Amino acid sequence: MSKKQSHPAPKPAGSRSLHLSANKLRWGLLIGALGAVIAALVTMTVTGFDSDKVEAHQPGAAPVVRDKEFSSANAGDCLSWTEADRSDLVKVNCADEHLFEVAGVIDLSAYPGREFGEGTRHPDSLRMTELRDEHCVAAVQRYLGGRFDARGKYTVNVMSPSPAGWQQGDRTLRCGVQVAATTTSPPSTGSITEGDQSKIHEVGTCLGISQNLPTDPVDCAQPHAVEIVGTVDLAANFTGGPPSEAEQDKYVETECNRLSTEYLGSPDAIRNKTLTMFFDVLEPTSWLAGSHKLNCWLGKGVDREGFAPIVGSARGEILIDGQAPVPPPNTGRSTPAPLPGAAPLPPQPQPR
């Protein structure tokens, strides 16, 4: 799977940068998405909810104690909280900021066997990962009519009852989606059913750096891997089926060059700052799921090993790996300084 990159210096259309492996960049993003799933999963499944409890009485059985807000959440509900243990979890309007959108409810008590029976222990994080994969991926696809973009903005996750609720008999899970992130999922607004699932960031956003790969948004004054300088909507140029990679390359490269010039205020700024423009390619599955947008990124590739850390916005002064960038000579050639005692150099032609 390739990732298109355009060189900072003027080059013929269709040229590709050799500074960074295309596959390396793509896998870096997937590693980040995987980290988001794991990090969110652990916190969602091992921590309980201390909100008000309600009892669901069943004839001939002991009452089942359930967490009020959790147990009443159904597909289409959006949830939010501020406390680290989610003790203040509440349902909110999906148009407002929220942290989790419910896609389906799974009742583990309906499954045969003793694994989830009375007196069993709350599943650990590894088992919850398996339950998410077994039940929640399919639940999210049903919720979206098969139009979930697995490479997009959201990641599938699962919420379980609190340990106390589990001990008292609650065996229901909430499957849903959160914004993908390498650490804590940020809030989102609007339902996933209503918008474009493209994994994009606002122009001017800088993505942090870890092990030479992009992470979550940070202040551009902090070390970062790339800066977002534009957003391209492929649907503005392509209709019908998914555009080919070559078609995307040609259109997105032109648009990213235009947008970067507008963002930086000069067509020579990328070259003078020794940066490189990067952009992704939308897979057909993402296009068919309704994701049509790509970001234009500025970064500094490091010999197929990822990115160099950058401090400062590309709109101003920057440091790359702790050093100020040195613009390349306009002639494309550099004249070495004469050795001590050498004769003066003859007059050099001026750049045209």
Side-chain angles (χ1 to χ4, degrees):
M1 193 172 303
S2 63
K3 174 138 338 239
K4 185 66 172 63
Q5 309 165 14
S6 63
H7 196 75
K11 296 175 67 177
S15 60
R16 291 177 180 268
S17 167
L18 300 179
H19 292 304
L20 184 63
S21 163
N23 288 332
K24 171 70 76 172
L25 188 57
R26 165 68 78 176
W27 278 108
L29 296 179
L30 295 182
I31 289 169
L34 178 61
V37 173
I38 296 173
L41 173 68
V42 171
T43 55
M44 292 292 266
T45 59
V46 302
T47 306
F49 302 93
D50 296 328
S51 54
D52 294 339
K53 306 290 191 294
V54 295
E55 294 185 357
H57 294 277
Q58 301 172 348
V64 175
V65 178
R66 300 176 184 269
D67 305 291
K68 181 178 179 181
E69 293 293 287
F70 173 78
S71 66
S72 62
N74 291 306
D77 288 334
C78 289
L79 308 176
S80 192
W81 56 88
T82 59
E83 299 295 333
D85 63 357
R86 282 167 296 283
S87 57
D88 60 343
L89 180 138
V90 293
K91 283 187 285 188
V92 298
N93 191 314
C94 289
D96 299 327
E97 284 194 348
H98 58 272
L99 295 172
F100 190 86
E101 182 171 350
V102 180
V105 179
I106 305 297
D107 186 356
L108 297 177
S109 66
Y111 290 82
R114 287 285 304 161
E115 181 182 6
F116 309 116
E118 182 180 354
T120 56
R121 303 180 67 176
H122 190 285
D124 61 19
S125 59
L126 179 60
R127 182 62 178 122
M128 290 303 302
T129 301
E130 295 172 343
L131 290 171
R132 179 204 65 201
D133 294 342
E134 292 169 6
H135 302 290
C136 291
V137 173
V140 169
Q141 287 288 11
R142 288 194 298 270
Y143 180 61
L144 294 173
R147 295 172 63 86
F148 175 67
D149 183 1
R151 301 184 184 278
K153 175 182 179 180
Y154 300 93
T155 186
V156 176
N157 216 331
V158 61
M159 297 179 73
S160 71
S162 69
W166 183 276
Q167 184 178 7
Q168 296 297 326
D170 189 351
R171 296 294 185 267
T172 58
L173 304 178
R174 265 67 190 171
C175 295
V177 294
Q178 291 180 284
V179 175
T182 57
T183 54
T184 303
S185 274
S188 62
T189 55
S191 171
I192 187 176
T193 62
E194 300 170 350
D196 191 319
Q197 297 177 45
S198 301
K199 187 174 178 60
I200 57 173
H201 298 276
E202 292 185 5
V203 173
T205 299
C206 289
L207 301 183
I209 186 167
S210 176
Q211 299 182 343
N212 297 338
L213 296 174
T215 59
D216 299 330
V218 298
D219 190 296
C220 290
Q222 299 180 25
H224 56 271
V226 294
E227 182 172 351
I228 310 302
V229 298
T231 301
V232 179
D233 186 354
L234 274 72
N237 190 67
F238 301 102
T239 58
S244 69
E245 181 175 332
E247 291 173 323
Q248 292 184 52
D249 284 350
K250 182 178 180 181
Y251 178 66
V252 178
E253 182 172 21
T254 299
E255 286 298 289
C256 281
N257 284 329
R258 177 182 66 81
L259 292 169
S260 66
T261 297
E262 292 179 359
Y263 183 80
L264 299 176
S266 166
D268 299 322
I270 296 180
R271 175 182 181 275
N272 291 338
K273 294 176 186 291
T274 69
L275 298 173
T276 303
M277 179 71 73
F278 298 93
F279 53 87
D280 204 348
V281 174
L282 280 176
E283 295 296 312
T285 52
S286 295
W287 179 271
L288 294 174
S291 296
H292 297 150
K293 297 178 182 178
L294 294 171
N295 275 147
C296 309
W297 303 350
L298 281 184
K300 180 72 172 182
V302 184
D303 298 329
R304 300 182 180 273
E305 295 297 329
F307 293 94
I310 299 173
V311 173
S313 170
R315 281 177 159 171
E317 300 297 322
I318 63 171
L319 296 176
I320 301 176
D321 209 7
Q323 302 292 323
V326 178
N330 289 335
T331 59
R333 298 177 57 192
S334 59
T335 304
L339 296 173
L345 290 171
Q348 301 297 305
Q350 297 298 311
R352 291 183 292 175

